[in-house]
Amino acid sequence: MSLVVQKFGGSSVADAASIKRVAQRIVEYRKAGHEVVVVVSAMGDTTDDLIDLAQQVSPMPPARELDMLLTAGERISMAVLAMAIANLGFNAKSFTGSQAGMITDESFGRARIIDVTPGRIRSALDTGNIAIVAGFQGVSQTTKNITTLGRGGSDTTAVALAAALNADVCEIYTDVDGVFTADPRIAPAASRIETITFEEMLEMAASGAKVLHLRAVEYARRYNVPIHCRSSFSHNQGTWVTDDPIPAEFRPRRKPGALTPEGTDTEETDTTMEQAIISGVAHDRSEAKLTIVGVPDIPGKAAQIFTIMAKTEINIDMIVQNISTRDPGRTDISFTLPASDGAKATRALEDAKSEIGFDHMRYDDQIGKLSVIGAGMRSHPGVTAKLFEALSDAHINIDMISTSEIRISVVTRADLLDEAVRVAHSAYGLDAEEVEAIVYGGTGR
Ligand code: ASP
Ligand code: MG
């Protein structure tokens, strides 16, 4: 008997009809003999609605109360789902994050999981129940206050539970058929990635791919939890995130059309295909670029600037430093940061202007970041040149560049980003012959 953790996002449990459909699917697994733990997000846009509600009564709601409020969203979906399952004649019990043993630190709104003690979940399973757990929430070890893990945190709940229960797979159900070689809304020729390593998926998520939550992938990698990211609107195979072969029991069957607990198989696995050098193209529109002009070119200035950014808790992404063309004793430092932190960053630096001794700042939020990711880069020279060539052929100017061992990222003008994604996708031969991506609605979460 295997243990499956299944996570359903907000768009998969948006209304009564969706919840009934999800309940059917969960029950299919139980019938096939699996133990099933389900993690749910709040229905549809409930979390956003609750945030709006809080803001209507207070411009700065106390963090403790905001977390208490937001966890209500997941409590609704967990109880309603348990009822829908009971209605199909199966035993189901719902648990809050705290009842499920999700122990966190005390930071409201972005709590970190420090321990998972799923004793009650284990006994619910042992007595033949399907366990339903509210995602995105936990309880502080010290204060016993209720906490939330941050937006999109239900993925992390699911992976953490899967790790603690030693599950065979953590299935993350969303409204797309898995992880694609690019966002199909931008590059219609994108195709589903069958399997991807943790390392590559981490780079994809960190570079703007939104299907899986970054923290969940980090957690999965640390505890080696295989993730199967797939659509709750179809029975197709999705994308496996794992460094190991897909567990035999869940491997796509050889016979297309065969009915399996996971549904009808639509394809055969082709093991002869050589691993692509590039796994995917990600993009990110959420960053801005800040240039500090005329910084004295002496030791310690960069340290000063980035210490201020660190103290302001701003995550810096790319950094470029150039000798100023106008004044040889000075340098210009540019870096990218989340656009949502733009005002905070410029204020903090403005305050330290005379101390640092720079001339002025330029802020640009009309930028886009394109990243190509693939472990094959390590052993194949020329991958970078190919990207630059393709962008140049399309007359797309590159503003900044950064690389890791398995990723190349470039900053372009925001309005050229979509084209840059398509061009890069084609250049690495990722374009599918037939359009295969179906977006089933919702927001991609
Ligand atoms: N409901 C929460 C959110 O919308 C958590 C989640 O969906 O994972 O952010
Ligand atoms: Mg949500």
Side-chain angles (χ1 to χ4, degrees):
M1 185 163 36
S2 47
L3 198 165
V4 182
V5 173
Q6 303 184 312
K7 180 260 172 178
F8 292 93
S11 57
S12 301
V13 292
D15 50 28
S18 314
I19 290 177
K20 282 161 87 172
R21 191 170 45 78
V22 162
Q24 282 287 0
R25 178 165 208 135
I26 294 166
V27 162
E28 278 169 36
Y29 272 73
R30 190 74 198 94
K31 278 193 203 144
H34 299 295
E35 290 186 315
V36 189
V37 176
V38 179
V39 173
V40 277
S41 288
M43 294 169 67
D45 296 327
T46 304
T47 309
D48 292 302
D49 295 343
L50 291 173
I51 292 173
D52 289 348
L53 173 64
Q55 256 143 20
Q56 281 168 40
V57 296
S58 159
M60 287 265 283
R64 178 187 187 279
E65 303 313 323
L66 187 60
D67 272 16
M68 192 63 108
L69 176 70
L70 295 189
T71 56
E74 272 71 11
R75 281 187 170 223
I76 294 172
S77 40
M78 74 178 193
V80 178
L81 181 58
M83 292 172 195
I85 293 173
N87 188 51
L88 297 174
F90 287 77
N91 296 325
K93 275 200 178 124
S94 65
F95 298 90
T96 65
S98 136
Q99 290 174 326
M102 303 299 301
I103 314 291
T104 72
D105 64 13
E106 289 148 68
S107 20
F108 295 118
R110 48 163 190 194
R112 296 237 142 221
I113 297 169
I114 49 185
D115 196 10
V116 183
T117 52
R120 294 186 68 178
I121 306 300
R122 191 60 261 173
S123 19
L125 295 174
D126 291 344
T127 48
N129 288 281
I130 294 167
I132 320 279
V133 178
F136 159 72
Q137 53 182 274
V139 60
S140 151
Q141 188 168 47
T142 44
T143 61
K144 306 287 181 246
N145 280 320
I146 296 299
T147 54
T148 67
L149 308 180
R151 295 307 305 269
S154 301
D155 288 8
T156 309
T157 304
V159 173
L161 268 175
L165 292 163
N166 201 8
D168 296 271
V169 55
C170 179
E171 295 192 323
I172 306 239
Y173 284 93
T174 177
D175 50 20
V176 289
D177 272 326
V179 184
F180 279 72
T181 49
D183 185 337
R185 282 166 275 221
I186 293 177
S191 55
R192 180 177 56 84
I193 300 172
E194 261 171 52
T195 61
I196 186 169
T197 60
F198 289 120
E199 185 187 33
E200 289 168 305
M201 193 59 230
L202 266 183
E203 291 273 14
M204 290 278 285
S207 304
K210 292 196 183 59
V211 193
L212 286 175
H213 205 240
L214 179 60
R215 268 174 73 185
V217 184
E218 280 170 354
Y219 211 101
R221 180 187 195 184
R222 191 162 349 120
Y223 293 95
N224 199 21
V225 178
I227 294 179
H228 185 188
C229 170
R230 60 194 305 195
S231 169
S232 69
F233 295 81
S234 81
H235 276 80
N236 300 338
Q237 280 281 317
T239 297
W240 281 83
V241 186
T242 173
D243 291 345
D244 303 318
I246 300 172
E249 206 174 338
F250 299 100
R251 213 167 287 156
R253 302 301 189 275
R254 281 275 149 202
K255 205 164 11 107
L259 198 64
T260 75
E262 290 78 52
T264 311
D265 274 322
T266 50
E267 64 184 64
E268 295 189 23
T269 5
D270 183 356
T271 44
T272 56
M273 212 169 70
E274 210 197 319
Q275 189 63 40
I277 297 169
I278 298 300
S279 297
V281 178
H283 71 279
D284 191 350
R285 249 178 257 284
S286 67
E287 293 192 350
K289 178 175 128 182
L290 190 63
T291 303
I292 312 177
V293 181
V295 180
D297 194 13
I298 52 172
K301 288 297 155 187
Q304 234 174 7
I305 290 166
F306 293 107
T307 303
I308 292 170
M309 291 299 95
K311 282 205 184 115
T312 327
E313 289 194 22
I314 293 174
N315 280 320
I316 304 301
D317 186 15
M318 296 187 194
I319 303 175
V320 174
Q321 176 174 341
N322 259 329
I323 293 298
S324 173
T325 39
R326 270 176 272 163
D327 185 345
R330 295 195 170 246
T331 166
D332 296 346
I333 296 181
S334 297
F335 57 88
T336 61
L337 72 171
S340 53
D341 286 334
K344 209 162 75 169
T346 41
R347 224 180 299 125
L349 288 167
E350 202 56 58
D351 287 347
K353 186 174 179 184
S354 51
E355 186 193 330
I356 302 169
F358 64 87
D359 190 62
H360 64 278
M361 275 182 287
R362 272 201 311 264
Y363 183 71
D364 179 1
D365 59 5
Q366 293 306 304
I367 63 161
K369 186 175 76 171
L370 165 84
S371 304
V372 297
I373 290 123
M377 252 181 233
R378 284 203 183 96
S379 46
H380 288 81
V383 173
T384 314
K386 182 171 256 171
L387 175 66
F388 295 167
E389 216 172 79
L391 292 175
S392 139
D393 288 348
H395 305 290
I396 296 171
N397 196 39
I398 300 171
D399 199 3
M400 296 170 100
I401 302 165
S402 84
T403 60
S404 83
E405 235 186 308
I406 64 161
R407 173 185 53 80
I408 313 160
S409 300
V410 299
V411 166
T412 67
R413 300 313 306 157
D415 55 355
L416 297 177
L417 184 60
D418 286 3
E419 183 60 15
V421 169
R422 287 188 285 268
V423 161
H425 196 264
S426 304
Y428 291 109
L430 294 172
D431 287 357
E433 271 149 41
E434 277 169 55
V435 173
E436 56 169 272
I438 309 170
V439 180
Y440 298 94
T443 53
R445 272 216 56 78

